């Protein structure tokens, strides 16, 4: 939920705004909001309900076996899809953010809804489309290239639709808020975002019990309801389309300014250094679902929290749960805490320095990520998710306030336009790294095949030919252990898949140390060029330690391009 918490910084800075309307109570302030404001908020809630409903179960579906109706992608393929998803969803607004102002907010939202529907349905029917395109060659083949590319294209449509939706919808809300009530208005907005994010996984959990296809279809239906709401209000008067004129930059100039502007040293250094936190954060939604599904024993959680509820209404625990609580309900602790505690944490962090709140948040989040690997017990996992949520609430929204404070005079707009790129960098690179790591040393079925070959001397070709759903039962048969508990513990003790969380926790700590150094540099009295040189070195070291030396060289080289242009061709840089 972190990317959706960013603008809650307005909530943390509410003191000044509230002084101007101290004579109004909360109810009176809420009454001043217009009908389009409330309709737009409802539209955002529905869009988030659909989006997070899919996101929390999608990692499970992507690696689901052919026998169970999934595409059976490898974790490397899954990581590649998420990498490109991150690049499109986080990078597209950098180049298209002005189109909502230019062509109209309602039109932008309408187009984005259509793109998102194509994405949801494309993923829903990816296997059927792939079969048609490959002449049936993809049927029954795990991770077939045709299925991978068709599903990936559907995911890119969803990513693009999400990227286009936000500026249009948030533009509608912005023009319906006055300065005095903007803080409360954005707090209402992000509270409803959290409500949608909390309800989505619950809906997805129900839909996938019917059939996986219904998860995608229901999300498409939910987001399409926003077309009805678009018909209930007019385009904000005087806000819809920019005046055309000769002074408006042409397309290529806008593209150049957008591409080069992000490389300004103080801006780019922050984006890269803070991306380590976001690399760690996105594993909560991309990797943790698979880890819980493979390794976490939540029978105790079922007995204490869930079974009494089912018994009270005369129901039974669904057989498809196999005695464990589905991962989407465990991860939903994150959305629930964001929904309940955002106002409180935001109020508290508003009273301390932004960097202090961010450092504290990253430290708590890193400790929580590390704690995910301390035990396979469901209660331990839930507590770690809850702790991570507290750290997220401290670090994520506060970055907007800090980012504005470090922007040089006249460049606040430039900085704010690129803020979401830091999440995109961490998400994209992290997806690639996590996919390779989990495929090699984390996936339960992969490790079970390895155990069969290396420890039980089964033939490699024979083991490789086993269907995915037959591997664990075969290992249980040969070791005379129960498949659901004892085999899982055997593989846990033998291969230590939990160590992957220590890797991501370390990245969070490195990012935190880089931010401390960044803060010291930008608050010092260094000359401009000396500061830029120090930041280039800091960016190289931090990104090399977080990701790889090759990533460090790429990021440093990109910043070096900006410095060369600044030295020898300053007129080509954005004003």
């Amino acid at each position: 939920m972190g990317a959706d918490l960013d603008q809650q910084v307005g909530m943390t800075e509410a003191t000044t705004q509230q002084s101007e309307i101290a004579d109004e109570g909360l109810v009176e302030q809420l009454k001043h909001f217009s009908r389009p404001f409330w309709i737009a908020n409802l539209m955002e809630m529905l869009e988030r309900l659909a989006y997070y409903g899919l996101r929390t179960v999608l990692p499970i579906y992507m690696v689901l076996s052919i026998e169970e109706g999934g595409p059976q992608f490898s974790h490397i393929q899954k990581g590649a899809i998420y990498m490109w998803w991150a690049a499109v969803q986080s990078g597209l607004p950098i180049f298209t953010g002005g189109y909502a102002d230019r062509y109209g907010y309602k039109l932008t939202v309408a187009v984005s809804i259509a793109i998102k529907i194509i994405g949801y349905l494309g993923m829903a029917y990816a296997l059927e489309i792939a079969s048609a395109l490959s002449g049936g060659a993809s049927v029954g083949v795990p991770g077939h290239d045709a299925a991978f590319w068709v599903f990936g294209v559907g995911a890119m449509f969803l990513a693009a639709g999400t990227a286009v939706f936000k500026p249009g919808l948030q533009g509608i809300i912005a023009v319906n808020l006055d300065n005095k009530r903007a803080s409360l208005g954005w707090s209402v907005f992000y509270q409803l975002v959290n409500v949608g994010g909390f309800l989505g996984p619950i809906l997805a959990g129900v839909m996938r019990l019917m059939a996986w296809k219904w998860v995608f279809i229901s999300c498409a239906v939910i987001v399409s309801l926003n077309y009805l709401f678009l018909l209930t209000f007019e385009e904000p008067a005087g806000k819809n389309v920019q005046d055309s004129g000769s002074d408006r930059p042409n397309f290529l100039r806008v593209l150049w300014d957008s591409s080069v502007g992000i490389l300004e040293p103080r801006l780019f250094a922050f984006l890269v250094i803070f991306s380590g936190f976001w690399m760690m954060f996105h594993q909560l939604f991309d990797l943790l679902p698979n880890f819980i599904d493979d390794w976490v024993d939540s029978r105790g959680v079922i007995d204490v929290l869930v079974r009494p509820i089912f018994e009270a209404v005369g129901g039974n625990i669904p057989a498809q749960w196999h005695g464990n609580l589905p991962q989407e309900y465990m991860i939903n602790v994150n959305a629930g805490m964001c929904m309940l505690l955002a106002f409180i944490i935001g109020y508290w962090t508003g009273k301390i320095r932004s960097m202090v709140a961010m450092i504290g948040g990253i430290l708590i989040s890193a400790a929580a990520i590390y704690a995910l690997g301390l035990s396979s017990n469901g209660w331990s996992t839930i507590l770690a998710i809850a702790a991570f949520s507290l750290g997220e609430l401290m670090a994520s929204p506060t970055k907007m306030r800090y980012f504005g404070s470090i922007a040089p005079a006249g460049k606040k707009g430039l900085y704010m336009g690129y803020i979401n790129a830091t999440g995109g960098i961490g998400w994209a690179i992290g997806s690639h790294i996590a996919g390779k790591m989990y495929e090699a040393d984390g996936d339960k079925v992969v490790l079970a095949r390895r155990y069969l070959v290396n420890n039980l001397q089964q033939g490699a070709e024979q083991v490789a030919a086993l269907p995915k759903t037959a591997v664990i039962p075969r290992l249980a048969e040969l070791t005379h252990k129960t498949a659901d508990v004892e085999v899982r513990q055997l593989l846990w003790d033998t291969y230590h898949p939990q160590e992957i969380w220590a890797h991501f926790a370390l990245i969070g700590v490195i990012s935190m140390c880089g931010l401390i150094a960044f803060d010291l540099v930008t608050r010092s009295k260094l000359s401009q060029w000396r500061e830029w040189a120090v930041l280039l070195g800091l960016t190289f070291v931090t990104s090399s330690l977080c990701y790889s030396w090759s990533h460090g060289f790429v990021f440093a080289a990109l910043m070096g391009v900006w410095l060369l242009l600044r030295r020898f061709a300053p007129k080509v840089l954005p004003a």
Side-chain angles (χ1 to χ4, degrees), residues 13 176 195 496 542:
E13 298 173 333
N176 279 281
V195 171
H496 310 292
T542 304

Side-chain angles (χ1 to χ4, degrees), residues 352-373:
I352 60 178
R353 187 166 171 260
S354 300
M355 179 55 71
V356 173
M358 291 167 62
I359 295 301
I362 296 175
L363 187 61
I364 293 172
S365 297
I369 287 290
Y370 181 78
L372 287 171

